[in-house]
Amino acid sequence: MKEDQVVEEPGFQDEEESLFQDIDLLQKHGINMADIKKLKSVGICTVKGIQMTTRRALCNVKGLSEAKVDKIKEAANKLIVSKIHSLLKLLGGGIESMAITEAFGEFRTGKTQLSHTLCVTAQLPGAGDYPGGKIIFIDTENTFRPDRLRDIADRFNVDHDAVLDNVLYARAYTSEHQMELLDYVAAKFHEEPGIFKLLIIDSIMALFRVDFSGRGELAERQQKLAQMLSRLQKISEEYNVAIFVTNQMTADPGATMTFQADPKKPIGGHILAHASTTRISLRKGRGELRIAKIYDSPEMPENEATFAITAGGIGDAKE
């Protein structure tokens, strides 16, 4: 069997492996060997060990100043940051900037959980010198829960208040209001250039469904939707931000004719399909397990990943 095993790219090891990385690896991130020896002298030998030790306890280690401890914590975060492993691998390492990524699925498939997890992970420094940054969250269905962010912040060992301060929240009440909020978003991105990294809309179509409910209003709905998506695309390119939107499913009236296995499809039609660079479908597995599948992407092959919904947000599935 071994010959057939796929060799994974370095940096995307299994979660267990990455949690137990030797602290000698901190040298790559500017921590000197003398300080690493000080950590080992008190029994901290892995990156996970640093994650599990409070700043105060580290400051009590002889020879470690507060500044050094901050640097060590930062370096450990960089080493451990690719936390949504299987899902990140599926997405080629993360959410693409200057593009729209759409996750769609039925109720309780993890769309909002994924949005909340990204609110925290987008703030953490990561691979390829990614510095982390602020997020704007546009909520159309009253799904945003600050307490979820606190739980996820705990998992990544980051300060609650700092995480919440970096998420700008706006509740949209109508599709028109949702469009108006994009003016506010663009103004914010302009005010603080390079600081914002991600715009989340959860969910993008909900208010359009409410405001344009009749069949006779479909053309107008699609026209308004096209205007909003065009604006989103421009904002993402002008300010170099990633855009992550969630979407719902609806019964596909034409599916019964084609004998599709799943007669549901994401709403928004061709207009949303063409605007989204990458589309991910989410569906339920056993218990808290969920399956994400690349539904449409110019860069990545059709592939699947299983993930779990945990107290700390989206995590790897533990079989």
Side-chain angles (χ1 to χ4, degrees):
M1 280 298 291
K2 283 207 168 160
E3 281 121 34
D4 294 331
Q5 283 179 351
V6 178
V7 179
E8 292 179 351
E9 288 178 44
F12 287 111
Q13 310 99 318
D14 285 354
E15 177 141 358
E16 292 306 315
E17 231 176 276
S18 78
L19 293 185
F20 298 109
Q21 292 175 101
D22 194 292
I23 58 167
D24 288 354
L25 290 170
L26 292 174
Q27 286 182 91
K28 289 183 186 172
H29 293 282
I31 308 300
N32 65 45
M33 206 56 214
D35 290 337
I36 290 170
K37 280 187 174 144
K38 286 168 195 162
L39 291 168
K40 287 182 177 174
S41 73
V42 292
I44 300 170
C45 302
T46 64
V47 176
K48 179 69 172 172
I50 294 167
Q51 295 282 80
M52 294 172 76
T53 310
T54 63
R55 279 186 162 77
R56 188 184 297 168
L58 286 174
C59 286
N60 288 335
V61 175
K62 198 165 187 265
L64 291 187
S65 64
E66 271 187 41
K68 274 185 181 174
V69 166
D70 283 345
K71 208 175 166 194
I72 287 165
K73 279 280 190 187
E74 194 181 318
N77 272 342
K78 278 182 182 166
L79 281 171
I80 213 162
V81 84
S82 57
K83 266 309 200 323
I84 322 172
H85 284 283
S86 58
L87 203 52
L88 271 179
K89 259 189 282 189
L90 183 75
L91 291 169
I95 303 283
E96 189 181 346
S97 66
M98 297 171 74
I100 298 171
T101 299
E102 174 199 351
F104 63 85
E106 294 183 69
F107 181 62
R108 293 207 48 130
T109 47
K111 303 185 296 285
T112 295
Q113 301 289 350
L114 186 48
S115 300
H116 280 71
T117 305
L118 287 169
C119 276
V120 179
T121 55
Q123 297 185 33
L124 306 173
D129 296 329
Y130 172 71
K134 290 185 178 182
I135 295 95
I136 294 183
F137 191 114
I138 295 178
D139 180 2
T140 69
E141 296 184 289
N142 198 24
T143 49
F144 183 75
R145 297 288 177 271
D147 287 348
R148 292 292 296 124
L149 293 192
R150 290 188 183 98
D151 292 340
I152 298 164
D154 283 343
R155 169 183 160 194
F156 288 98
N157 202 14
V158 285
D159 182 67
H160 291 176
D161 294 335
V163 161
L164 290 169
D165 283 349
N166 284 334
V167 179
L168 268 68
Y169 170 81
R171 173 91 161 87
Y173 294 99
T174 66
S175 57
E176 208 171 77
H177 185 214
Q178 190 173 326
M179 184 71 171
E180 285 163 10
L181 282 172
L182 296 187
D183 293 337
Y184 162 79
V185 166
K188 267 300 186 203
F189 289 170
H190 183 73
E191 257 172 54
E192 299 182 57
I195 301 298
F196 287 90
K197 299 295 178 190
L198 179 65
L199 168 64
I200 295 171
I201 305 178
D202 184 24
S203 81
I204 191 153
M205 289 299 301
L207 296 173
F208 283 89
R209 264 183 130 169
V210 173
D211 295 350
F212 303 95
S213 50
R215 274 215 170 269
E217 297 175 55
L218 188 62
E220 192 187 347
R221 182 191 87 172
Q222 292 304 83
Q223 187 189 355
K224 292 275 194 286
L225 176 63
Q227 287 168 1
M228 191 185 68
L229 291 166
S230 165
R231 187 82 211 278
L232 274 177
Q233 192 61 52
K234 282 195 185 106
I235 287 172
S236 77
E237 288 174 18
E238 188 174 350
Y239 299 103
N240 188 18
V241 293
I243 294 183
F244 179 78
V245 303
T246 70
N247 192 11
Q248 301 150 326
M249 308 276 283
T250 187
D252 180 358
T256 45
M257 308 295 289
T258 55
F259 305 104
Q260 270 175 269
D262 186 2
K264 290 191 171 64
K265 61 175 188 178
I267 54 181
H270 294 305
I271 287 172
L272 186 52
H274 290 313
S276 305
T277 307
T278 299
R279 307 187 93 190
I280 309 154
S281 80
L282 303 177
R283 65 182 195 272
K284 286 181 192 169
R286 288 193 323 272
E288 291 304 300
L289 291 184
R290 301 290 182 268
I291 298 124
K293 182 179 181 182
I294 295 283
Y295 186 79
D296 186 17
S297 167
E299 304 285 323
M300 289 162 285
E302 274 202 14
N303 216 339
E304 284 193 353
T306 305
F307 62 94
I309 294 174
T310 69
I314 296 290
D316 263 8
K318 296 276 183 283
E319 286 298 336

